[in-house]
Amino acid sequence: MNAGSCFEEAYREERGLVGPLDPAQYRDLIVEIKNKIGGGFSPASSEPGTVRVVNTRCPFGEAVRHAPELCKMTSSVFGGIAAHNFGYAKVILEKRIAIGDGMCEVCIHTDPNQANQYQGGDEYRKEGELVVGKSASAEISTRVEKQLNKAWFGAKSSKPHATERPRIVTQSLAMRQALETVEIVAPTTANVLISGETGVGKEVVARAIHAMSERWNSKFLAVNCGAIPENLVESVLFGHERGAFTGAYEVHQGFFERADKSTLFLDEIDSLPLPAQARLLRVLQENEFERVGGKQSLSVDVRIVAAAGSQLDKLIAQGAFRLDLYYRLNVVPIHIPPLRERPEDIPPLAASILARLSEKYRKNPHKLSRRALAQLTSYEWPGNVRELENVLERSFLFASGQLLEQVALPKKPAQAQPVPPQSLVQETPSTLKEARKKAADEVEEAMLKELLANFRGNIKKVAQSLHITPRAVHQKLTQHQIDPNAFRLSP
């Protein structure tokens, strides 16, 4: 749900409204939206088929003079709500504080015949259940999110209630362009490489590609390549046969095998070791692979979406990432800019996050004061959207009222100290026997955690899968200090 839809839904719930809004209710809603975040909007005289509002104080404060594109958010929210209720809207920003007019004057035409008399402005039309913006695909996020919801709740092999469903909330041109690319490439089989800093939402974009493809009704699988121990990468990705190594008690299906006929998201692909890169390249070229310790080639039909940080070019230059693999993955590149480069996304993101927090903690919705919004838009956000979520959740929990007067921005984290070489030497196995045992323990622990996750902490099902007794499973969990309750769903 985009920002305008969120605001309209809250307005309807507060007043118990059903059916399309009338022009007076629409006018009151858009004035309330802006004034709740620090604007100075009021209604102005309007002719039939037109709603006009004026503003003496911008919710973005002085920041809007340095980023006049923030006004597009007003156009999108006002136009989207109007089109949803009246079928059509043309939004004309006749005067703008952002460009030195001293005030804002916004005219929303809801009669297309009347609107054709005026030049400029952004047009919005209702097409079925969707609102489509003519000028900049302003409502593309609605189309993408609708399909995301369909895939999230309708996948045949998954009922993913343990994590929050992904949402698309954006107003920036850069993100709209990224979503337009998603919409074009999703129905194809082309591999996609998503780049961007940590926390910008690369997995959400990957899920959107899956959701808008023909594979949407199959389970989306994601693996963080950077979180897999180097000696287990090939086993985790491609699986292994029974007896392939010490601790391989049963046949294990890797991510590629389980993602057959679906989409596999390889996050932090730039952290893969070179041997695994070579095997991955073969899978991409031949669409087949062998399990570790196996002799039979397995064919798969997997759509690959990969993600990497901003250092991939340097890794290629250093020889740490294969250039031929890069070309195979980078058929369609999508770059997600950091949050500091798209400040117009911060207000709608903040509104959406606060709405989720209200639902999560069962508290009344919280609003941002003008001061708090200024704090958010002026901060650099090195942790991007993930950091924004953390800051707002912390501020939400400790707020004394429903208006967040200020947000608790973090201090710059201290630089990590290098680990002394002696510590590394002490942890390295001193004999081949110890090294084998350590590797076997790591494989066993990884398999147990994966099975617990698949079976939602059900010990009996894990035991049946491993062909051992539940008591033996409990012993192994104790040995590896794994708490099965952590994998069970909350009631």
Side-chain angles (χ1 to χ4, degrees):
M1 185 180 296
N2 60 27
S5 300
C6 288
F7 289 126
E8 182 181 347
E9 184 176 330
Y11 180 83
R12 287 177 175 278
E13 287 180 359
E14 288 176 3
R15 292 160 178 79
L17 298 177
V18 179
L21 302 178
D22 62 36
Q25 290 169 331
Y26 166 73
R27 180 199 62 205
D28 292 344
L29 168 59
I30 61 176
V31 168
E32 180 179 302
I33 287 174
K34 287 300 181 181
N35 290 350
K36 276 189 174 181
I37 58 173
F41 277 83
S42 60
S45 58
S46 306
E47 58 271 22
T50 301
V51 174
R52 188 182 298 271
V53 294
V54 295
N55 179 33
T56 56
R57 184 178 65 251
C58 181
F60 301 111
E62 289 300 312
V64 75
R65 297 184 184 276
H66 305 289
E69 65 274 11
L70 289 173
C71 298
K72 284 293 182 182
M73 177 186 170
T74 296
S75 175
S76 176
V77 172
F78 286 9
I81 296 173
H84 177 254
N85 287 277
F86 310 122
Y88 171 86
K90 185 173 190 177
V91 182
I92 301 176
L93 304 178
E94 296 182 345
K95 293 182 181 179
R96 298 165 62 192
I97 292 174
I99 58 175
D101 288 336
M103 66 176 294
C104 292
E105 187 170 351
V106 185
C107 185
I108 305 100
H109 297 281
T110 57
D111 181 348
N113 296 322
Q114 184 185 40
N116 289 335
Q117 303 172 16
Y118 301 91
Q119 298 294 321
D122 292 343
E123 287 187 292
Y124 302 83
R125 296 179 184 274
K126 188 174 182 181
E127 298 181 0
E129 293 301 314
L130 298 178
V131 172
V132 179
K134 179 181 177 181
S135 62
S137 301
E139 297 300 321
I140 189 171
S141 60
T142 304
R143 301 197 294 275
V144 174
E145 184 155 350
K146 181 179 179 181
Q147 197 62 29
L148 264 175
N149 290 341
K150 184 178 178 182
W152 185 251
F153 293 111
K156 291 185 294 187
S157 57
S158 174
K159 293 295 179 185
H161 300 299
T163 56
E164 287 188 348
R165 82 179 158 84
R167 302 171 191 243
I168 298 288
V169 179
T170 184
Q171 295 292 340
S172 65
L173 177 61
M175 286 303 296
R176 288 179 191 166
Q177 290 172 338
L179 293 179
E180 287 172 356
T181 302
V182 166
E183 197 170 32
I184 292 169
V185 75
T188 74
T189 59
N191 295 330
V192 179
L193 181 61
I194 305 170
S195 61
E197 296 179 2
T198 299
V200 293
K202 295 190 287 291
E203 182 170 342
V204 175
V205 173
R207 285 186 179 275
I209 293 170
H210 171 72
M212 302 193 78
S213 74
E214 294 181 355
R215 303 167 188 252
W216 69 268
N217 207 25
S218 299
K219 184 179 179 180
F220 173 89
L221 289 176
V223 56
N224 186 333
C225 300
I228 310 172
E230 186 170 340
N231 59 330
L232 296 178
V233 169
E234 295 191 31
S235 175
V236 170
L237 292 181
F238 308 111
H240 61 251
E241 297 287 348
R242 182 176 182 179
F245 47 81
T246 303
Y249 303 114
E250 298 293 337
V251 173
H252 169 67
Q253 291 185 332
F255 274 95
F256 270 87
E257 197 168 347
R258 285 180 283 146
D260 190 29
K261 304 293 190 298
S262 189
T263 305
L264 178 59
F265 176 52
L266 299 175
D267 198 8
E268 295 189 22
I269 190 99
D270 43 339
S271 65
L272 273 184
L274 285 169
Q277 291 180 32
R279 287 201 65 174
L280 176 58
L281 180 62
R282 178 174 177 257
V283 177
L284 296 179
Q285 291 172 334
E286 308 294 338
N287 292 326
E288 62 180 30
F289 64 95
E290 296 172 1
R291 299 187 187 123
V292 176
K295 298 180 181 179
Q296 179 183 2
S297 292
L298 303 174
S299 297
V300 289
D301 174 17
V302 178
R303 169 74 175 278
I304 297 296
V305 179
S310 54
Q311 302 298 315
L312 191 55
D313 290 343
K314 293 182 180 178
L315 293 175
I316 293 172
Q318 294 167 1
F321 196 88
R322 295 179 62 120
L323 188 59
D324 48 2
L325 176 59
Y326 170 76
Y327 286 134
R328 280 283 177 179
L329 294 170
N330 196 40
V331 177
V332 178
I334 297 179
H335 178 67
I336 311 299
L339 194 54
R340 62 182 173 274
E341 293 181 7
R342 43 189 178 99
E344 60 269 45
D345 280 343
I346 293 175
L349 276 169
S352 176
I353 292 167
L354 288 174
R356 289 207 312 265
L357 292 172
S358 297
E359 182 180 337
K360 177 180 178 180
Y361 292 109
R362 298 181 181 180
K363 291 185 176 182
N364 292 327
H366 283 44
K367 306 295 182 184
L368 291 166
S369 69
R370 184 181 179 186
R371 177 186 178 189
L373 186 61
Q375 283 183 286
L376 295 181
T377 53
S378 61
Y379 183 63
E380 285 293 309
W381 300 111
N384 293 294
V385 179
R386 193 173 299 147
E387 185 182 15
L388 175 64
E389 291 173 337
N390 292 342
V391 166
L392 287 175
E393 184 163 12
R394 184 164 60 248
S395 303
F396 181 95
L397 291 173
F398 289 93
S400 56
Q402 289 180 239
L403 183 67
L404 297 183
E405 296 289 352
Q406 60 181 359
V407 291
L409 294 175
K411 296 179 180 178
K412 188 176 181 180
Q415 193 169 5
Q417 297 297 317
V419 179
Q422 299 94 311
S423 302
L424 297 177
V425 173
Q426 290 172 3
E427 293 180 3
T428 303
S430 58
T431 66
L432 182 59
K433 183 177 180 180
E434 289 179 4
R436 285 175 176 169
K437 184 179 185 307
K438 185 173 184 293
D441 286 344
E442 289 175 345
V443 171
E444 187 174 76
E445 182 179 355
M447 289 181 65
L448 285 168
K449 287 181 177 178
E450 183 178 342
L451 289 171
L452 285 167
N454 289 341
F455 295 120
R456 307 299 187 195
N458 189 315
I459 300 296
K460 185 177 179 180
K461 289 185 179 179
V462 172
Q464 290 173 345
S465 174
L466 294 173
H467 302 289
I468 60 177
T469 65
R471 181 181 177 185
V473 173
H474 278 293
Q475 289 175 341
K476 291 180 181 295
L477 295 179
T478 301
Q479 175 188 339
H480 293 291
Q481 298 182 335
I482 300 173
D483 180 9
N485 293 319
F487 298 85
R488 293 182 180 130
L489 291 178
S490 301

